[in-house]
């Protein structure tokens, strides 16, 4: 999985980041307006709207997970490190509708407050201070995890390829993770590309994203998988691993409460930056396309977040018996956006670049002011042929897997 992910990030991910950032900077518009700038064809305009709708659907359930972080931070602040490390604590918490909903609403309010303040004043001040601290703290925890007894088995499980566990769904899963981790095919890169100054080199910025995102992801994997000893049964919990395994790591440390407070505080800021980016993309579209004021667009987005997010927040408690194609609401929204809509958005972007804009115009934007475009041949081949092909495959495979046709 890790090897496949790295290869995809350096090829597919690189190509899509270059394409979407260039589209945004060329037009200075959010996804819908950017697509319209190049073509009035209905199919491509739909592609622009899909890019715009994805963040609107993601940020509500993402805010639910942000609420979980707030809950754990509060517990550590109250000195309950042993409590949160107990088996069953996490499932008990998310099944408590009142507690889960309250934490979700607090996180949503924090996101909207920063959006009201403006993207530059909000995101940049938080990111510049908190992200380096989170990286350093994560490195300390990762070193601790890999030096514990039995951790070597976990490291081997994580880093040494095992072809017995490889299947086509490994590639599909890695590609799905890449979409989410690199923020491609969800309108964010087009939106933030529209804010990018002309003197900032696009390829260098893309390389930084590739390298740092992948390195931090590997470090996070070492934190969790090394501590678990590579036990497959302990690694099937998905995103909730952070709320199950990490507290056990902290509880085994002599100063676990202090580390727990620092870690979940910094994760909260990391979650906020992602939530802000998603919400900013949606707000920007509402401003550009419906000509709403920033205040009105943010308010409407807030109502949407509360309504859709509450379904996910209550989906493991009062609404646990209500499912969509056998999935809880949070899992369904994740499947719909990550496995269905993002591949479609990626295909639309590939068609827009290769058939309408032209790869030469993208190259002109990338090389503006003499900036380098060292992997131009890789970009050309990927955007014309391989990216749309793989995106179509992940779409078909994910849907087939969800309905049990393949495994």
């Amino acid at each position: 999985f890790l090897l496949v992910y790295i290869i995809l990030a350096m090829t597919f991910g690189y190509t899509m980041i270059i394409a979407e950032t260039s589209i945004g900077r060329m037009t200075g518009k959010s996804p819908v307006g950017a697509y319209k700038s190049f073509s009035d064809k209905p199919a491509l305009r739909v592609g622009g709207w899909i890019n715009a709708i994805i963040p609107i659907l993601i940020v509500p359930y993402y805010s639910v997970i942000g609420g979980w972080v707030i809950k754990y931070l509060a517990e550590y602040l109250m000195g309950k490190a042993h409590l949160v490390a107990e088996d069953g604590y996490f499932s008990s918490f998310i099944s408590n509708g009142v507690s889960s909903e309250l934490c979700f609403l607090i996180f949503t309010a924090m996101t909207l407050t920063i959006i009201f303040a403006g993207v530059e004043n909000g995101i940049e001040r938080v990111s510049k201070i908190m992200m380096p601290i989170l990286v350093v703290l994560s490195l300390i925890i990762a070193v601790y995890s890999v030096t514990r007894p039995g951790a070597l088995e976990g490291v081997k499980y994580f880093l040494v390829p095992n072809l017995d566990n490889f299947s086509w769904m490994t590639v599909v899963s890695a590609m799905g993770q890449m979409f989410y981790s690199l923020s491609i095919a969800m309108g964010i890169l087009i939106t933030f590309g529209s804010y990018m100054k002309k003197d900032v080199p696009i390829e260098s910025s893309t390389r930084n994203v590739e390298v740092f995102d992948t390195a931090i992801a590997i470090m996070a994997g070492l934190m969790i998988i090394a501590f678990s000893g590579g036990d497959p049964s302990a690694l099937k919990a998905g995103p909730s691993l952070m709320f199950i395994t990490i507290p056990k790591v902290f509880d085994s440390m002599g100063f676990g409460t202090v580390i727990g407070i620092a870690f979940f505080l910094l994760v909260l800021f990391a979650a906020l930056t992602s939530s802000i980016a998603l919400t900013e993309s949606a707000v920007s579209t509402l401003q550009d396309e419906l000509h709403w004021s920033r205040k009105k667009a943010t308010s409407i987005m807030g109502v949407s977040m509360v309504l859709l997010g509450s379904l996910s927040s209550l989906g493991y408690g009062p609404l646990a018996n209500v499912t969509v194609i056998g999935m809880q609401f949070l899992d369904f929204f994740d499947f719909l956006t990550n496995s269905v809509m993002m591949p479609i958005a990626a295909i639309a972007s590939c068609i827009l670049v290769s058939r309408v804009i032209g790869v030469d115009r993208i190259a002109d934007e990338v090389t503006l002011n003499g900036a380098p475009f060292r992997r131009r041949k890789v970009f050309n081949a990927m955007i014309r042929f391989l990216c749309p092909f793989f995106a179509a495959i992940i779409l078909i495979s994910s849907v087939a897997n969800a309905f049990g046709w393949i495994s």
Side-chain angles (χ1 to χ4, degrees):
F1 176 91
L2 182 60
L3 181 60
V4 172
Y5 175 85
I6 292 173
I7 293 172
L8 288 172
M10 297 300 172
T11 52
F12 193 116
Y14 162 84
T15 300
M16 296 307 300
I17 294 173
I18 290 282
E20 294 184 19
T21 305
S22 299
I23 290 170
R25 195 169 76 172
M26 289 169 73
T27 60
K29 297 179 180 179
S30 56
V32 177
Y35 269 66
K36 263 197 294 190
S37 297
F38 297 110
S39 176
D40 282 330
K41 292 182 179 179
L44 284 177
R45 292 184 65 179
V46 168
W49 275 106
I50 290 175
N51 270 279
I53 292 171
I54 288 171
I56 296 175
L57 295 179
I58 289 179
V59 74
Y61 77 77
Y62 188 91
S63 297
V64 172
I65 300 173
W68 297 350
V69 175
I70 288 176
K71 173 67 173 181
Y72 272 66
L73 175 59
E75 296 286 39
Y76 275 102
L77 287 170
M78 291 187 290
K80 299 181 179 179
H82 293 297
L83 176 65
V84 297
E86 291 179 358
D87 292 333
Y89 174 83
F90 177 70
S91 58
S92 175
F93 159 58
I94 63 173
S95 64
N96 182 328
V98 175
S99 181
S100 179
E101 180 74 3
L102 178 61
C103 293
F104 154 65
L105 292 175
I106 293 172
F107 184 87
T108 299
M110 294 171 69
T111 299
L112 294 174
T113 298
I114 297 174
I115 289 292
F116 270 119
V119 63
E120 289 187 0
N121 292 334
I123 293 179
E124 289 187 14
R125 288 180 183 175
V126 171
S127 300
K128 287 180 179 178
I129 298 171
M130 296 299 173
M131 292 306 99
I133 300 174
L134 178 59
V135 171
V136 172
L137 184 60
S138 298
L139 181 60
I140 293 171
I141 298 169
V143 171
Y144 173 79
S145 291
V146 300
T147 54
R148 293 183 72 258
L152 184 59
E153 290 303 313
V155 174
K156 288 180 179 178
Y157 180 88
F158 184 48
L159 298 179
V160 179
N162 184 348
L163 295 180
D164 292 337
N165 295 331
F166 182 83
S167 69
W168 173 247
M169 289 310 298
T170 304
V171 179
V172 173
S173 298
M175 195 173 293
Q177 173 65 21
M178 177 198 63
F179 274 110
Y180 212 108
S181 184
L182 297 177
S183 298
I184 60 178
M186 59 175 75
I188 291 177
L189 293 174
I190 296 177
T191 299
F192 281 90
S194 70
Y195 302 149
M196 181 181 279
K197 296 177 182 178
K198 293 291 187 179
D199 60 350
V200 177
I202 291 178
E203 187 175 47
S204 298
S205 299
T206 299
R207 184 176 63 250
N208 290 339
V209 172
E210 288 177 315
V211 172
F212 286 106
D213 180 87
T214 303
I216 291 171
I218 291 173
M219 188 163 57
L222 289 173
M223 287 165 55
I224 295 173
I225 298 175
F227 184 85
S228 72
D231 178 9
S233 63
L235 298 173
K236 293 180 179 179
S240 61
L241 271 173
M242 186 174 74
F243 303 97
I244 297 173
T245 305
I246 288 294
K248 293 182 185 299
V249 175
F250 297 158
D251 194 42
S252 69
M253 301 170 75
F255 45 95
T257 298
V258 175
I259 290 291
I261 292 172
F263 178 79
F264 279 102
L265 178 63
L266 294 168
V267 169
L268 174 60
F269 281 108
L272 274 171
T273 59
S274 296
S275 178
I276 291 163
L278 289 163
T279 308
E280 174 63 28
S281 180
V283 167
S284 178
T285 297
L286 295 176
Q287 286 182 275
D288 291 348
E289 299 307 314
L290 302 180
H291 307 293
W292 290 351
S293 67
R294 185 175 185 84
K295 183 177 180 180
K296 181 179 180 180
T298 304
S299 300
I300 296 298
M301 188 61 199
V303 172
S304 171
M305 289 168 67
V306 171
L307 293 177
L308 294 177
S310 293
L311 292 175
S312 297
S313 175
L314 303 174
Y316 296 101
L319 300 180
N321 293 325
V322 182
T323 61
V324 183
I325 57 173
M327 303 178 190
Q328 304 290 353
F329 282 110
L330 191 151
D331 298 319
F332 171 73
F333 283 125
D334 181 56
F335 164 75
L336 177 64
T337 53
N338 200 26
S339 300
V340 178
M341 296 180 72
M342 286 187 198
I344 294 174
I347 293 170
S349 293
C350 291
I351 293 173
L352 180 68
V353 170
S354 62
R355 301 287 185 266
V356 180
I357 301 174
V359 292
D360 290 337
R361 287 182 66 186
I362 295 293
D364 291 341
E365 184 67 28
V366 175
T367 57
L368 209 61
N369 299 319
F373 194 3
R374 296 183 178 89
R375 284 187 270 172
R376 182 171 178 173
K377 290 182 179 179
V378 173
F379 174 84
N380 289 348
M382 293 297 298
I383 201 73
R384 284 171 168 162
F385 309 110
L386 296 178
C387 283
F389 172 76
F390 279 118
I393 292 297
I394 188 177
L395 171 63
I396 295 168
S397 300
S398 297
V399 172
N401 180 254
F403 285 96
W405 301 332
I406 63 173
S407 61

